[in-house]
Amino acid sequence: MTELLGEDGIARCSWGNSAPDYATYHDEEWGVPLHGEAELYERLCLESFQSGLSWITILRKRENFRKAFRGFAPEKVARFGEKDVERLMQDAGIVRNRAKIEAAVKNARAVADLDIPLDKLLWSFAPAKHRRPRTMADVPAITDESKAMAKDLKKRGFAFLGPTTCYALMQATGMVDDHVKGCFRAA
């Protein structure tokens, strides 16, 4: 348990003790059930932008992302055209990766085309049972559910969302609770 203690004396998942931004995110958001179309679309986009990068980079740019992507309102982002993509490519406040920016726009359009609310679709992949990890080494990178989510999203026209990104989304939005044993947030 002592390896979970932060400098502030709070026992949390080890990554949550590595930076103040991480501690706040860990303590207040990660693993908390999240609902709502714009909220889940935002997290879906941010997890995609994080791919290949450190999550701290995305956390520190999150407010810039929110401004650049019009509050992550899918109906607004779905109307983005090439000029918007070029504007975003010049925005140093976000991650300037053309494939990820174009995926965010494509995914907003896919949200608009859904025959089921995004919230209901994503949460349909939450596992019925989930075992609490003892250590961070026990936390999987992908699961059968995240593979199924990625496959379904791809079939529905979503991009840049593989099984690993989908599992990170599931963790971040509380579809699974991967707070390790001993962490104060472990339910």
Side-chain angles (χ1 to χ4, degrees):
M1 170 103 161
T2 55
E3 68 275 0
L4 298 177
L5 287 181
E7 290 180 14
D8 55 5
I10 296 174
R12 59 176 64 90
C13 302
S14 58
W15 64 268
N17 289 320
S18 61
D21 293 343
Y22 273 157
T24 300
Y25 177 68
H26 171 277
D27 295 358
E28 298 174 8
E29 289 185 66
W30 193 72
V32 175
L34 182 70
H35 294 278
E37 183 176 81
E39 293 82 354
L40 288 168
Y41 170 69
E42 173 182 343
R43 294 310 266 285
L44 189 139
C45 289
L46 294 179
E47 293 295 345
S48 291
F49 273 100
Q50 185 271 328
S51 183
L53 302 172
S54 170
W55 181 244
I56 198 89
T57 301
I58 304 305
L59 272 181
R60 290 178 176 162
K61 292 178 178 270
R62 183 160 53 171
E63 287 308 315
N64 296 326
F65 272 109
R66 286 175 173 159
K67 287 177 191 151
F69 284 92
R70 308 291 188 260
F72 286 104
E75 67 279 1
K76 292 179 181 178
V77 180
R79 293 192 298 264
F80 281 14
E82 189 54 38
K83 283 184 179 180
D84 295 292
V85 171
E86 291 307 320
R87 170 184 56 82
L88 294 169
M89 286 297 294
Q90 302 306 313
D91 188 340
I94 66 167
V95 173
R96 295 178 288 181
N97 178 303
R98 184 175 297 276
K100 293 176 181 182
I101 291 168
E102 289 174 347
V105 175
K106 182 176 183 174
N107 293 343
R109 293 175 183 154
V111 169
D113 291 339
L114 288 175
D115 58 349
I116 180 175
L118 180 64
D119 193 299
K120 189 172 183 179
L121 172 66
L122 295 178
W123 276 88
S124 74
F125 294 98
K129 288 192 273 182
H130 184 71
R131 187 184 317 186
R132 175 154 324 282
R134 291 177 50 75
T135 68
M136 291 309 299
D138 297 328
V139 176
I142 61 172
T143 62
D144 289 342
E145 293 87 358
S146 73
K147 289 182 212 174
M149 179 190 280
K151 183 177 178 180
D152 190 73
L153 291 175
K154 184 176 182 179
K155 182 178 77 176
R156 293 173 183 270
F158 287 79
F160 229 98
L161 292 163
T164 303
T165 301
C166 286
Y167 193 68
L169 173 72
M170 295 172 88
Q171 292 173 302
T173 61
M175 293 176 202
V176 295
D177 179 358
D178 275 343
H179 287 285
V180 300
K181 288 187 182 195
C183 171
F184 88 96
R185 289 286 321 280

